[in-house]
Amino acid sequence: DTGVSQDPRHKITKRGQNVTFRCDPISEHNRLYWYRQTLGQGPEFLTYFQNEAQLEKSRLLSDRFSAERPKGSFSTLEIQRTEQGDSAMYLCASNRYTEAFFGQGTRLTVV
Amino acid sequence: AQSVTQPDIHITVSEGASLELRCNYSYGATPYLFWYVQSPGQGLQLLLKYFSGDTLVQGIKGFEAEFKRSQSSFNLRKPSVHWSDAAEYFCAVGAAAGNKLTFGGGTRVLVKP
């Protein structure tokens, strides 16, 4: 069990560029979540997968955001046409039964 | 809709002193409650969880929490704080075990030598 892995750990991008983050959950965890955490705040739910199916999306997930989980393994979160307001820590979590295990996050800075 | 309030944004405590972090939740049914800790630039680590049964739950690193349904609270306590406990602490509620979580705004704990 190597834990939830996220890549990259840090990303600096210019406004208007597209970025993609990857999350590798703990193997055999069928549920995967994305959260966003801005400075000084708690994480906020973005979206949830059970296996390869995206079952829920938050209102926070605008049309510029898209997430996938092909084959029910790793997941990607893409942000198109980034804005300064997208600057945040993006956290991935996975679980099979009870508690969620979180990755270390990807910190996005949009300049 | 579920919500979580952590009334204290910052708490400063001396090393060796006791610590209590407050958490109030709003949820219509039986809540699933969690406390997580986050060190700077890191992800979240689960300290403890409450699903049912004994309302006093023990967690890792010497932490415990007490569920009080009448007060809609799930306060976290530690009898004697260590310098390594300096971090941000988040209370969270879920609709069921394994469901998405709603987090509070967090409490940052500073430990004085």
Side-chain angles (χ1 to χ4, degrees), chain A residues 64-76:
Chain A
R64 296 184 298 105
F65 288 70
S66 63
E68 294 183 340
R69 192 182 182 196
K71 302 179 183 178
S73 56
F74 71 92
S75 175
T76 59

Side-chain angles (χ1 to χ4, degrees), chain A residues 5 33 58-59 67 97 103-104:
Chain A
S5 177
Y33 303 82
S58 162
R59 292 170 300 172
Y97 298 115
Q104 293 189 302

Side-chain angles (χ1 to χ4, degrees), chain A residues 42-56:
Chain A
E44 296 174 294
F45 170 76
L46 290 179
T47 190
Y48 153 56
F49 291 85
Q50 180 148 329
N51 300 313
E52 66 275 10
Q54 188 174 20
L55 297 186
E56 188 174 351

Side-chain angles (χ1 to χ4, degrees), chain B residues 26-39:
Chain B
S26 173
Y27 185 62
T30 301
Y32 291 76
L33 295 160
F34 305 81
W35 275 98
Y36 284 86
V37 61
Q38 185 178 38
S39 298

Side-chain angles (χ1 to χ4, degrees), chain A residues 2-37:
Chain A
T2 57
V4 178
S5 177
Q6 292 190 244
D7 184 69
R9 292 289 310 280
H10 303 273
K11 177 72 176 179
I12 299 175
T13 190
K14 292 183 178 180
R15 189 174 51 187
Q17 297 294 304
N18 298 344
V19 293
T20 300
F21 311 140
R22 178 180 170 119
C23 171
D24 287 273
I26 295 171
S27 60
E28 298 182 356
H29 278 194
N30 59 349
R31 297 185 182 198
L32 186 147
Y33 303 82
W34 285 98
Y35 291 84
R36 181 172 68 187
Q37 184 180 21

